[in-house]
Amino acid sequence: MGDVSDPVAHPRSASSLPASLTEAAAVEQARAAAAETAGDPALVGEHLGVEPEVAAPVTGEVPAEELGATATHTFASRLPGYVGWHWAVTVAAAPGDDEVTIDEVVLLPGEQALLAPAWVPWHERLRPGDLSVGDVLPSTEDDPRLVPAYTADDDSADDPEGRIVASELGLGRERVMSAEGRADAATRWADGDFGPASAMARSAPGPCASCGFWLPLAGSLRQRVGACGNAYAPADGRVVTADYGCGAHSQATLVVADPTEVVHTARYDTGTYDVLSD
């Protein structure tokens, strides 16, 4: 076996192609192949031209000239919805042979073609609220929000009560939230409707951290987020940040104004008198 040299491309010009690849018979043969692929001859439009293909790389055994020649004929597409596309039919001819063979038929977009948007993985398309009843949302193996439980302490380790309960019940999880996952959740909650920047929080009499209805989360997030347990609060049953607040704060009180004397009977001033004359 001979050594294979580095690949070298040898472009051809249309004038250097064998006549068998460019004559009318080759055009009609290419059109027939495109029509067969399209399923209807009416879907193949006018002939747009022919372009030579780059010759195969030169090897140490076979010169490029002995490999034959190839060219691609293009035809306008009349497929509905494929504006600006064209049929590309590649034909080939062996050296010294006038017979033309069809290599491949493809439908290709042109510069003005309408293209579908780039494909986006499902986990990047999904948005909060998209999950409905019966849907299953599996997490990926490389989800940065989760780590194997054996590689990191459970977040409940920061909460002695939660750790005791989990130990007594024999509960265990294959994966737990990573530090990145917990930080991402806390940031998302802080930026939401129940964070410190909301209009409700800015006009509240006090933060949730000082409210008797605030139920802190367990673990490392205990000092940052919790759940609201006030049935009259707009965030009842929701995750709220420690610096969120609303008008239903447990320490909110009405300011009692100074009492105003209310006179219920008529009174007469006898300290002075008027002199009446005839």
Side-chain angles (χ1 to χ4, degrees), residues 194-215:
F194 303 110
S198 64
M200 181 70 72
R202 292 197 300 268
S203 59
C208 288
S210 61
C211 179
F213 296 106
W214 190 54
L215 303 171

Side-chain angles (χ1 to χ4, degrees), residues 23-249:
E23 61 188 7
V27 174
E28 291 306 316
Q29 186 175 351
R31 178 185 293 276
E36 181 180 359
T37 301
D40 186 352
L43 300 178
V44 181
E46 65 276 12
H47 183 246
L48 301 178
V50 58
E51 292 290 337
E53 295 292 337
V54 177
V58 177
T59 66
E61 295 181 349
V62 182
E65 295 76 14
E66 297 184 9
L67 297 177
T70 56
T72 298
H73 292 270
T74 56
F75 302 87
S77 172
R78 294 177 179 171
L79 278 171
Y82 286 83
V83 178
W85 290 61
H86 60 269
W87 296 100
V89 183
T90 302
V91 295
D97 192 351
D98 293 336
E99 183 179 358
V100 175
T101 58
I102 303 296
D103 274 3
E104 63 177 354
V105 181
V106 293
L107 184 63
L108 298 177
E111 294 182 358
Q112 304 299 323
L114 298 177
L115 301 177
W119 182 79
V120 179
W122 66 267
H123 63 276
E124 296 181 15
R125 298 195 305 267
L126 199 65
R127 293 293 179 266
D130 289 348
L131 198 66
S132 59
V133 177
D135 292 341
V136 177
L137 178 60
S139 60
T140 59
E141 292 296 330
D142 58 349
D143 192 332
R145 300 171 302 170
L146 298 170
V147 292
Y150 61 81
T151 64
D153 290 335
D154 194 326
D155 191 37
S156 64
D158 297 327
D159 180 18
E161 295 180 0
R163 181 173 53 185
I164 292 173
V165 172
S167 176
E168 290 180 349
L169 297 180
L171 298 178
R173 293 177 290 170
E174 183 177 346
R175 291 195 289 178
V176 297
M177 286 194 74
S178 63
E180 180 181 350
R182 296 195 297 270
D184 178 69
T187 300
R188 184 173 63 254
W189 293 333
D191 294 340
D193 294 337
F194 303 110
S198 64
M200 181 70 72
R202 292 197 300 268
S203 59
C208 288
S210 61
C211 179
F213 296 106
W214 190 54
L215 303 171
L217 292 186
S220 61
L221 297 180
R222 183 182 183 89
Q223 302 299 324
R224 300 180 60 185
V225 291
C228 176
N230 190 340
Y232 299 102
D236 179 43
R238 305 294 189 97
V239 174
V240 296
T241 60
D243 46 4
Y244 175 73
C246 70
H249 194 284

